[in-house]
Amino acid sequence: MRNNYIVLDRDGVINVDLFDYVLENKTFEFEKGSKEAIAKLAQKNFKIIIATNQACINLGLISAEGIKDINNFWINKVRENNGEILHVEVCPHKKGEDCNCRKPKTGLLESAEKKLNISLKNCFFIGDKLSDLECAVSHGCKPILVRTGYGAMTEADPFPNETKVFDNLKGAVDWIVD
Ligand SMILES: [Mg+2]
Ligand SMILES: [Zn+2]
């Protein structure tokens, strides 16, 4: 059986992008079909790594612990629906802080690889922003754009031409596993 890793952005892919930060559990709303898509990945033996920029932490809007709590909240919902998230990587930095983890930089992927002793090269990476696609390409992942969140806007501008585009996470996952 295959045991593949897959990288997912969070906001605009798994949950509805508020075009603002998710600072409370109650504003974390799953995109239509995303929980089912995650369950399908688990069923097909894909291990999910989340790579998410959360500048709200260093903007002082929420603590790193607060973001962890929100992630635990939705990951529990995913588990109740037979899904699983293997690992979460969060960049807390603001634009302009020049860290090496804020996407499109690849530090989140390198950190996950180091902690889990795995390689994410050639894995699918699903996101809704150009920064996700660029991060994927820089690291040697296969970029997938979804039209949810910022995706429709991302699609309207130039993006890496090896990118596959789907309406949402469910569409992307159906294509990957079927
Ligand atoms: Mg996003
Ligand atoms: Zn960072």
Side-chain angles (χ1 to χ4, degrees), residues 9-176:
D9 171 43
R10 196 192 77 176
D11 301 325
V13 175
I14 294 171
N15 56 297
V16 176
D17 201 309
L18 305 173
F19 303 109
D20 197 356
Y21 299 105
V22 175
L23 302 175
E24 304 175 84
N25 292 343
K26 67 172 188 224
T27 54
F28 189 100
E29 186 195 337
F30 284 95
E31 278 286 350
K32 194 167 179 285
S34 72
K35 260 190 292 186
E36 291 68 27
I38 290 170
K40 190 166 187 175
L41 285 171
Q43 191 196 334
K44 301 285 180 175
N45 221 23
F46 278 87
K47 307 280 186 235
I48 300 172
I49 315 276
I50 305 296
T52 180
N53 287 350
Q54 296 295 335
C56 50
I57 296 172
N58 279 13
L59 286 167
L61 301 174
I62 188 168
S63 64
E65 205 51 46
I67 287 291
K68 207 174 267 180
D69 288 345
I70 291 170
N71 285 333
N72 287 335
F73 166 78
W74 70 263
I75 290 170
N76 278 330
K77 302 270 176 209
V78 159
R79 287 200 183 112
E80 286 166 14
N81 202 64
N82 302 316
E84 188 55 272
I85 303 295
L86 177 66
H87 184 72
V88 180
E89 284 286 336
V90 176
C91 166
H93 304 106
K94 295 175 282 188
K95 210 175 183 169
E97 276 190 88
D98 203 31
C99 67
N100 64 9
C101 52
R102 185 177 163 85
K103 296 175 290 184
K105 300 263 186 75
T106 57
L108 296 179
L109 304 185
E110 284 145 21
S111 173
E113 287 179 325
K114 203 172 280 178
K115 288 176 192 161
L116 301 171
N117 193 27
I118 60 171
S119 170
L120 295 171
K121 309 273 178 209
N122 288 313
C123 293
F124 292 107
F125 182 149
I126 306 179
D128 67 318
K129 285 189 179 174
L130 182 61
S131 54
D132 296 308
L133 308 176
E134 288 178 341
C135 175
V137 171
S138 299
H139 196 69
C141 299
K142 294 181 270 190
I144 294 181
L145 174 64
V146 288
R147 296 188 175 102
T148 47
Y150 284 84
M153 284 175 263
T154 303
E155 192 183 14
D157 288 322
F159 57 87
N161 58 19
E162 64 263 52
T163 308
K164 297 258 189 270
V165 186
F166 298 93
D167 281 346
N168 54 27
L169 182 60
K170 189 178 180 305
V173 167
D174 287 346
W175 176 78
I176 289 168

